[in-house]
Amino acid sequence: MPYLSKVQKKYIIAFSILILATAAINIMTWDIPFFRDIASIFYAFILMGWGITVGRRITHIRMRRLLNFEVTMMAMLFVARICKYTVFWGVPAVFRASYYIYIDIELTVASGALILALLIGTAGNDKPSKVVWAVFITNVILMIFVSTNELHWKLYRFKNYHEGLYETEYGWLYYVAAIMGIAQLLGATIVITRKCSISAVRKYWYIPLVPQLLGFALILIYYFSGGAPMLFGIKMYNFQEVFCLTVAAMLETGIKIGMIPSCSGYAGMFRRSHINAAIVDKNGEYRYHSLNYGSEYDTEYVRINEKQISGGKVIWTENLETISSLNEILADTVDIIESENTLIEKENAAKEERSRYETMNSLYNSIADFSSSRLRTIDEELSKDQDDEEAFKKHLARSLVLGSYIKRRSNLTIIAAEGKGICLDELLLSINESMTYIRLCDINCRLNTTGKDIREKVLPAEEVIGLYDKFQEFVEGVLDRTRNIMVNIRENGKTLFKVSADTEDDIISISAEIPDGQEVAQ
């Protein structure tokens, strides 16, 4: 099971209790006048509450907007149910219109679930695929036919509604709409399960599938029962709550296992960080700060830095007390010459401290060596005159490509300093992050791996770093003259690493053979 924080567990428990309580209310009040719509109202509020949490977590802007719209439509489905069966029961024209709106909302929710599933794994600025457009256009056409039932009567035929009987006959268009809705929900299930099986969360592929199978089972029981199933003369559930909760459970489990990109707890992350900083708004009020941050400082040892940001400024401090303390220790050591043993102990302590700092400095110097030239390049890119917004975006994208390399290369260097091998998965993560920013340069990127347990292979640190350096050098060389970059790592007797790109003149590539894996040193 994926890791769940205490807050996440509390939210899951709270929503589960609310849903079960609402289901119980629905069972108890289904045949009581003026009270049978209470459950519908509660379901709508539960979905809106869930939608608020979704809007705070999703980082993919297009998926966040579509999820908010999906939640709104699911809540509106319950509003439409109340209008259909209670509010406009005595107004024939509005009563019939509520039937059509009800079907349109169901199609909207089902198509939204399928489109969300298709958007998983795409970048926020990617254009919708042809499949997404086909789903959207097909549903729009079908919804137009549903909404114009008054012209053709192929969806419903109403009889005796003037006498208050409201007898309904179903036409062939009703069955087309019902099959279309169920097919799209089933399609979303298949797409998510398929994408789970080929992603980093493939071991959790079954988690989104479980609530969907349960929902489909309840929907089939509903249809085979000819409506809401009855047990001991009590209506157990309606189609709407099963339909909406199945979609919501599918999307929420997709978020929990990492299929849908999300992040939460920003304030807690900042508070627990060790950076000793604070964010202040325009009015001078402290909005966020780390645990060890204080507004009063002993300026003898602390250097205070500030930088303006959107909506306020960020303040951070650098503590120089350690350096000052080391200088005092060295001065005291010189004064205590008469005690040879004490002098030796202090000398050894100073040597040990110095050795540790030298090791750290050596590591930081090595990072500075490979990053200095690219930092200068980033500075040049950002300092160039920006004639228009497109030029600015281009220079910014190139800077982000170089910045991601510096970040990931530094990470690999720090791992290598521990004296262990590096798992090939670290290289794949580094390449994946670089590709995230390469795509901002309007370049299509793809990383393919072939071979059983290839990600778990452990290699010498210098080999992994060397492969990442080759990848970066290749990318920087073709960044202005290609639109497609592909990285292949496959195992077929030997493990091969290949990077290729197509230019206007030719297809260029580099390749290297990856040595056999080694055991991690304990």
Side-chain angles (χ1 to χ4, degrees), residues 85-96:
Y85 294 109
T86 303
V87 178
F88 299 114
W89 181 262
V91 186
V94 182
F95 172 75
R96 295 197 304 272

Side-chain angles (χ1 to χ4, degrees), residues 272-336:
R272 292 177 177 84
S273 66
H274 62 279
I275 57 176
N276 198 19
I279 297 178
V280 183
D281 62 19
K282 292 181 178 179
N283 298 323
E285 297 291 335
Y286 285 87
R287 306 306 297 266
Y288 303 102
H289 61 83
S290 56
L291 285 173
N292 56 350
Y293 179 83
S295 58
E296 297 181 359
Y297 307 98
D298 184 356
T299 55
E300 181 182 355
Y301 296 115
V302 175
R303 180 187 300 159
I304 305 172
N305 303 282
E306 295 183 2
K307 185 173 181 62
Q308 295 296 322
I309 59 174
S310 177
K313 62 181 178 180
V314 59
I315 305 173
W316 74 97
T317 63
E318 296 178 73
N319 193 341
L320 307 177
E321 186 176 1
T322 302
I323 297 175
S324 177
S325 297
L326 287 174
N327 290 333
E328 291 177 2
I329 291 173
L330 291 175
D332 292 340
T333 303
V334 173
D335 294 336
I336 312 175

Side-chain angles (χ1 to χ4, degrees), residues 161-178:
Y161 53 81
H162 293 292
E163 289 78 18
L165 298 178
Y166 300 107
E167 296 176 0
T168 306
E169 290 183 357
Y170 300 107
W172 62 266
L173 185 59
Y174 171 82
Y175 297 102
V176 171

Side-chain angles (χ1 to χ4, degrees), residues 162-431:
H162 293 292
E163 289 78 18
L165 298 178
Y166 300 107
E167 296 176 0
T168 306
E169 290 183 357
Y170 300 107
W172 62 266
L173 185 59
Y174 171 82
Y175 297 102
V176 171
I179 293 172
M180 185 67 177
I182 299 301
Q184 290 182 119
L185 196 57
L186 181 61
T189 302
I190 295 172
V191 170
I192 287 182
T193 305
R194 172 61 180 165
K195 289 188 176 183
C196 280
S197 64
I198 59 175
S199 68
V201 298
R202 55 183 175 273
K203 61 182 178 180
Y204 302 128
W205 65 271
Y206 61 90
I207 294 180
L209 189 61
V210 171
Q212 294 170 69
L213 292 177
L214 178 60
F216 279 122
L218 294 175
I219 290 173
L220 290 177
I221 294 173
Y222 180 91
Y223 277 115
F224 285 130
S225 300
M230 307 289 288
L231 183 63
F232 303 114
I234 299 175
K235 184 186 291 187
M236 300 307 297
Y237 61 87
N238 294 305
F239 174 82
Q240 297 80 15
E241 50 258 37
V242 173
F243 180 70
C244 291
L245 292 178
T246 298
V247 174
M250 175 188 71
L251 298 175
E252 180 62 26
T253 51
I255 295 171
K256 284 291 185 288
I257 67 175
M259 282 292 291
I260 300 176
S262 65
C263 188
S264 60
Y266 297 102
M269 293 168 59
F270 187 81
R271 180 173 175 79
R272 292 177 177 84
S273 66
H274 62 279
I275 57 176
N276 198 19
I279 297 178
V280 183
D281 62 19
K282 292 181 178 179
N283 298 323
E285 297 291 335
Y286 285 87
R287 306 306 297 266
Y288 303 102
H289 61 83
S290 56
L291 285 173
N292 56 350
Y293 179 83
S295 58
E296 297 181 359
Y297 307 98
D298 184 356
T299 55
E300 181 182 355
Y301 296 115
V302 175
R303 180 187 300 159
I304 305 172
N305 303 282
E306 295 183 2
K307 185 173 181 62
Q308 295 296 322
I309 59 174
S310 177
K313 62 181 178 180
V314 59
I315 305 173
W316 74 97
T317 63
E318 296 178 73
N319 193 341
L320 307 177
E321 186 176 1
T322 302
I323 297 175
S324 177
S325 297
L326 287 174
N327 290 333
E328 291 177 2
I329 291 173
L330 291 175
D332 292 340
T333 303
V334 173
D335 294 336
I336 312 175
I337 300 176
E338 63 277 6
S339 178
E340 184 176 352
N341 291 333
T342 303
L343 178 60
I344 293 174
E345 288 180 3
K346 291 187 177 293
E347 285 179 349
N348 290 337
K351 287 179 181 179
E352 182 179 350
E353 189 75 10
R354 190 181 304 112
S355 175
R356 185 170 68 87
Y357 276 104
E358 287 176 354
T359 302
M360 294 175 62
N361 286 336
S362 177
L363 176 62
Y364 295 149
N365 288 337
S366 66
I367 293 174
D369 288 340
F370 71 77
S371 61
S372 58
S373 60
R374 288 177 172 85
L375 287 173
R376 286 194 296 271
T377 304
I378 291 175
D379 184 61
E380 292 172 359
E381 290 286 342
L382 298 178
S383 300
K384 290 179 179 178
D385 293 335
Q386 313 297 338
D387 297 331
D388 52 34
E389 184 178 354
E390 290 300 321
F392 172 75
K393 289 182 178 179
K394 176 181 178 182
H395 293 306
L396 180 59
R398 292 177 61 89
S399 301
L400 290 172
V401 171
L402 296 174
S404 67
Y405 167 71
I406 293 173
K407 170 193 170 184
R408 278 296 181 174
R409 178 62 159 75
S410 301
N411 180 58
L412 293 175
T413 301
I414 293 172
I415 295 175
E418 297 177 358
K420 301 179 180 179
I422 299 180
C423 183
L424 189 59
D425 192 47
E426 287 289 343
L427 175 61
L428 299 179
L429 292 173
S430 300
I431 293 175

Side-chain angles (χ1 to χ4, degrees), residues 102-113:
Y102 182 82
I103 295 293
D104 287 340
I105 294 175
E106 283 187 351
L107 289 172
T108 302
V109 173
S111 62

Side-chain angles (χ1 to χ4, degrees), residues 15 41-54 71-72 75:
F15 276 101
I41 297 173
F42 284 176
Y43 277 124
F45 276 109
I46 290 172
L47 287 169
M48 287 189 290
W50 175 68
I52 292 173
T53 69
V54 168
V71 172
T72 303

